[in-house]
């Protein structure tokens, strides 16, 4: 429940920024915002791999991506503009930043990942909770979705060929994303 509320808090922050940008600049930098909560089984597996107990304290201290918000933008410069606007808010604390746009993963994956901590107010307490925000373009999201599906497809005739094609596709998408906005 706590992480659902943290996720809603961050999602709302992005939606407010999108509304403001629409009025101020006559265009929406955000195409879509989606959310997800990590399943308890995945949390337990992650803690087990780190030899940590499955407890609320352990989750809060060691798992940064229980709550996730994915923001899809049209252009690369929108990604950084939206991220900067979020991080300027005085109740948002940056915990970690991984810029896979500037430094893509070896397989071609690109996205900006921010782990942020936000206060969430409940009836009898305030908790500072972490949320992972992944901010990417429509093209980057298309590629990541395709790569994810192929990774779990059981019968791929030539996996090395598919990996090579995906890497080439990532480079082509990157070239398209660099076109002037």
């Amino acid at each position: 429940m706590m992480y659902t509320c943290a996720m809603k808090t961050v999602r709302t922050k992005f939606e407010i920024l999108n509304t403001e940008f629409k009025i101020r600049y006559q265009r929406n930098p955000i195409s879509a915002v989606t959310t997800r909560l990590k399943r308890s089984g995945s949390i337990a597996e992650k803690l087990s791999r780190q030899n940590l107990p499955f407890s609320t304290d352990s989750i809060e201290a060691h798992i940064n991506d229980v709550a996730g918000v994915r923001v899809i933008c049209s252009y690369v410069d929108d990604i950084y503009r939206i991220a900067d606007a979020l991080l300027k808010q005085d109740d948002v604390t940056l915990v970690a930043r991984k810029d896979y746009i500037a430094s893509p993963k070896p397989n071609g994956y690109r996205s900006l990942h921010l782990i942020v901590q936000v206060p969430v107010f409940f009836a009898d307490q305030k908790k500072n909770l972490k949320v992972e925000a992944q901010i990417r373009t429509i093209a980057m999201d298309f590629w990541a979705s395709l790569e994810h599906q192929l990774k779990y497809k059981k019968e791929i005739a030539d996996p090395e060929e598919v990996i090579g094609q995906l890497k080439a596709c990532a480079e082509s998408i990157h070239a398209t994303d660099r076109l002037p906005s």
Side-chain angles (χ1 to χ4, degrees), residues 73-150:
C73 297
S74 296
Y75 302 104
V76 173
D77 58 340
D78 289 336
I79 292 170
Y80 294 107
R81 189 173 293 121
I82 287 293
D84 290 345
L86 176 73
L87 295 174
K88 285 180 185 171
Q89 297 182 17
D90 64 4
D91 63 340
V92 175
T93 302
L94 179 64
V95 175
R97 178 184 182 114
K98 293 179 184 172
D99 190 342
Y100 296 115
I101 299 168
S103 301
K105 288 186 175 185
N107 67 351
Y109 175 84
R110 286 181 169 84
S111 184
L112 178 65
H113 291 205
L114 305 174
I115 305 297
V116 296
Q117 192 169 49
V118 294
V120 181
F121 296 88
F122 299 100
D124 60 349
Q125 66 176 323
K126 174 181 90 169
K127 299 260 321 170
N128 290 310
L129 296 166
K130 293 179 275 188
V131 176
E132 180 185 48
Q134 296 178 352
I135 312 171
R136 56 179 70 148
T137 64
I138 296 166
M140 291 172 194
D141 189 57
F142 159 77
W143 184 91
S145 296
L146 180 61
E147 191 271 345
H148 181 78
Q149 291 300 317
L150 287 173

Side-chain angles (χ1 to χ4, degrees), residues 13-28:
K13 287 179 172 297
F14 281 117
E15 289 171 347
I16 290 169
L17 287 170
N18 198 39
T19 300
E20 178 189 358
F21 277 61
K22 170 66 175 168
I23 292 166
R24 186 175 286 186
Y25 304 111
Q26 286 74 51
R27 68 178 210 75
N28 292 91

Side-chain angles (χ1 to χ4, degrees), residues 46-61:
K46 198 168 193 177
L47 289 170
S48 177
R49 284 193 306 269
Q50 299 175 32
N51 294 319
L52 296 168
F54 185 75
S55 68
T56 303
D57 290 340
S58 188
I59 292 167
E60 288 180 25

Side-chain angles (χ1 to χ4, degrees), residues 137-179:
T137 64
I138 296 166
M140 291 172 194
D141 189 57
F142 159 77
W143 184 91
S145 296
L146 180 61
E147 191 271 345
H148 181 78
Q149 291 300 317
L150 287 173
K151 190 184 332 183
Y152 295 103
K153 191 173 180 181
K154 300 291 182 212
E155 297 169 19
I156 296 176
D158 188 357
E160 293 303 315
E161 172 69 19
V162 172
I163 290 168
Q165 288 178 356
L166 275 172
K167 176 79 170 142
C169 180
E171 293 305 319
S172 178
I173 287 170
H174 178 63
T176 303
D177 271 343
R178 289 189 354 217
L179 294 174

